[in-house]
Amino acid sequence: MNFNLNLQGAQEIGNYMQPGQYSVKVKNFESKESKNGHPQIAITFTHKEEGEFTHFANGDTSNDFAKNWLFTFLKAVGVQDNNGQFSFTEKDIIGKPINIELERKYNDYTEKWNTVLKRFWKFDGTAVYEKYEIKESEKNNSNQQQNSKPSVNDDNPFANANGPIDIQDSDLPFDWNDLIVKNY
């Protein structure tokens, strides 16, 4: 039997960067569209011992946060600007060193823990390397139970959304009596 498989972009299992702080190099920088058709920038970071991590950044430069994020990133990898105007190719970014911090975050939509880019900063010549331990509650288990979700702040009056809501009438911005529908 002959197989013809396109495994482009695949990695060996376990070759993904874990949470921590790393000095890395930019392996790839490309502009693409998200699954929903929005502009996106895919940046792959690589560490010689820990593997790779790909971050998908918002590429919509009309969005202030995305514009500021991209400006800061380009400055951190040493791309020169001319009064905020950047002219470069991916070759100007690939191979550049930068420091990144990865963290574990729970995604309520997918109900899974993911490793995400927390922050980045300019590489100043001093290598950073600190792996964080993944807590048992942050692992994605196939038999994951409700108790593996992040803890809820006890000060949140909506923490027990599946049960009665503990809000005092005096905390409400309206009077319950005004909402009672009267039968005439």
Side-chain angles (χ1 to χ4, degrees):
M1 175 181 277
N2 291 331
F3 292 94
N4 187 9
L5 303 173
N6 180 359
L7 301 178
Q8 208 170 16
Q11 292 183 334
E12 288 183 39
I13 294 176
N15 196 21
Y16 299 100
M17 294 178 74
Q18 298 299 315
Q21 293 184 16
Y22 304 96
S23 292
V24 295
K25 287 191 176 182
V26 178
K27 179 180 179 181
N28 195 23
F29 183 91
E30 67 178 309
S31 177
K32 55 193 305 183
E33 282 190 359
S34 70
K35 292 176 185 176
N36 297 334
H38 300 289
Q40 184 178 69
I41 297 172
I43 307 166
T44 302
F45 302 101
T46 185
H47 187 272
K48 62 184 175 183
E49 288 138 17
E50 295 301 320
E52 297 180 355
F53 175 79
T54 301
H55 175 72
F56 297 95
N58 183 348
D60 181 6
T61 56
S62 66
N63 175 294
D64 285 342
F65 178 80
K67 181 171 36 177
N68 294 338
W69 190 96
L70 189 55
F71 177 86
T72 306
F73 175 79
L74 292 172
K75 292 293 233 174
V77 294
V79 176
Q80 298 298 314
D81 69 319
N82 183 8
N83 292 327
Q85 295 289 322
F86 288 87
S87 181
F88 63 94
T89 68
E90 65 274 355
K91 292 177 184 176
D92 296 324
I93 296 176
I94 294 174
K96 297 286 181 134
I98 190 169
N99 294 323
I100 63 172
E101 182 175 2
L102 305 177
E103 71 176 346
R104 296 289 281 170
K105 279 211 166 175
Y106 188 77
N107 183 321
D108 289 323
Y109 181 72
T110 62
E111 296 185 348
K112 291 185 179 181
W113 285 92
N114 298 310
T115 301
V116 297
L117 180 66
K118 179 179 180 181
R119 66 184 179 115
F120 60 86
W121 64 101
K122 186 175 183 168
F123 179 74
D124 63 3
T126 305
V128 175
Y129 179 74
E130 180 185 359
K131 267 173 65 169
Y132 301 157
E133 179 183 336
I134 297 178
K135 299 175 185 132
E136 193 62 34
S137 64
E138 295 177 355
K139 293 180 181 176
N140 287 327
N141 298 327
S142 58
N143 59 353
Q144 184 176 14
Q145 299 296 322
Q146 192 78 359
N147 61 3
S148 65
K149 289 186 178 181
S151 61
V152 179
N153 183 353
D154 290 331
D155 294 336
N156 181 353
F158 301 105
N160 61 341
N162 294 331
I165 298 176
D166 302 326
I167 300 176
Q168 302 299 322
D169 287 347
S170 60
D171 291 336
L172 297 173
F174 54 84
D175 185 354
W176 277 109
N177 294 324
D178 294 339
L179 296 177
I180 296 174
V181 177
K182 298 179 182 177
N183 292 330
Y184 290 103

